């Protein structure tokens, strides 16, 4: 279930991200502080991550972000056997990853709002930290909210998609713990989103000049990344 209008809405959010705070910047540093540098780093990293994730196959085609069907108990004997087959597990996993593309729509504004409201007690330490230091900080403060926002999309989307897949194979459909599958998928998707953001952050830190943001470039190079 891939919803094109949701993708457009995510792209609308993403297109605004690099503009945050850029207006009025007359010099490379201007009046911007180090905390602004962290926010710019996270904003650009998030924009690039979501642009990858919302493409068709954005989660599934990437080993770093692919969701997999968890092992769940409680199925009857027929369904348990069916769910152990690679073909069925693969089809349901693809459905999970398709739902994840739509679910990312719910996560985008949460991540953006979290970046705007991030409390940076030691922004310099974050900028001087490891390749994903800013993303790690964001994940610690935001991952729970992201997972909770993702869960309803998986709870509804997987129940319809997984049932459709299984109904073509077996007639007995009782005993499937859709809630457990949806919860696992939401947890996996939440983790995948922050892994994707972290990858983009690391790439920006490795070559700040390619960010196209003179303020961020000056801050990263000036703090030794």
């Amino acid at each position: 279930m891939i919803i094109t209008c949701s993708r457009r809405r995510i792209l609308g959010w993403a297109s605004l991200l690099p503009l945050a705070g850029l207006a009025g910047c007359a010099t490379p540093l201007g009046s911007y502080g180090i905390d602004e540098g962290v926010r710019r780093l996270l904003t650009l990293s998030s924009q690039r991550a979501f642009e990858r994730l919302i493409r068709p196959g954005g989660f599934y085609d990437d080993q770093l972000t692919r969701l997999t069907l968890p092992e769940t108990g409680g199925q009857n004997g027929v369904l348990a056997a069916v769910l152990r087959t690679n073909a069925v597990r693969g089809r349901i996993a693809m459905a999970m990853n398709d739902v994840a593309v739509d679910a990312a729509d719910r996560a985008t504004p949460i991540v953006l709002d979290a970046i705007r409201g991030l409390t940076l007690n030691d922004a310099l330490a974050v900028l001087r930290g490891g390749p994903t230091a800013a993303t790690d900080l964001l994940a610690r403060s935001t991952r729970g909210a992201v997972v909770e926002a993702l869960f309803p999309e998986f709870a509804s989307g997987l129940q319809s998609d997984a049932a459709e897949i299984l109904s073509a194979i077996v007639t007995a459909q009782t005993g499937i713990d859709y809630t457990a599958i949806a919860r696992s998928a939401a947890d996996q998707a939440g983790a995948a989103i922050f892994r994707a953001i972290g990858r983009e952050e690391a790439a920006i830190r490795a070559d700040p000049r390619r960010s196209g943001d003179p303020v961020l470039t000056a801050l990263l190079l000036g703090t030794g990344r």
Side-chain angles (χ1 to χ4, degrees), residues 5-151:
C5 64
S6 291
R7 288 212 187 105
R8 284 200 296 267
R9 186 141 53 100
I10 298 172
L11 286 170
W13 276 100
S15 67
L16 294 175
L17 292 177
L19 302 179
L22 283 176
C25 179
T27 64
L29 285 177
S31 61
Y32 298 112
I34 294 176
D35 57 341
E36 177 66 11
V38 174
R39 293 190 179 91
R40 283 169 178 265
L41 176 59
L42 284 172
T43 296
L44 183 56
S45 300
S46 299
Q47 176 201 3
R48 292 179 175 179
F50 278 110
E51 285 178 346
R52 286 175 178 265
L53 293 173
I54 64 176
R55 297 170 183 168
F59 281 81
Y60 189 82
D61 293 340
D62 189 338
Q63 290 284 354
L64 186 71
T65 59
R66 182 181 300 170
L67 280 59
T68 59
L69 180 65
E71 297 289 345
T72 57
Q75 293 92 14
N76 61 47
V78 174
L79 285 175
V82 169
L83 288 172
R84 284 195 295 269
T85 64
N86 290 334
V88 174
R89 291 181 66 84
R91 289 181 66 187
I92 296 179
M94 290 185 71
M96 289 171 55
N97 283 271
D98 282 346
V99 174
V101 172
D102 298 330
D105 191 21
R106 295 175 177 267
T108 309
I110 292 174
V111 170
L112 182 58
D113 287 345
I115 293 171
R116 287 171 172 164
L118 200 61
T119 300
L120 298 166
N121 294 325
D122 195 346
L124 182 59
V126 174
L127 285 182
R128 285 178 171 172
T132 63
T135 302
D136 294 343
L137 176 65
L138 179 65
R140 286 194 296 271
S141 66
T142 314
R143 181 176 168 181
V146 167
V147 171
E148 289 306 312
L150 296 172
F151 176 72

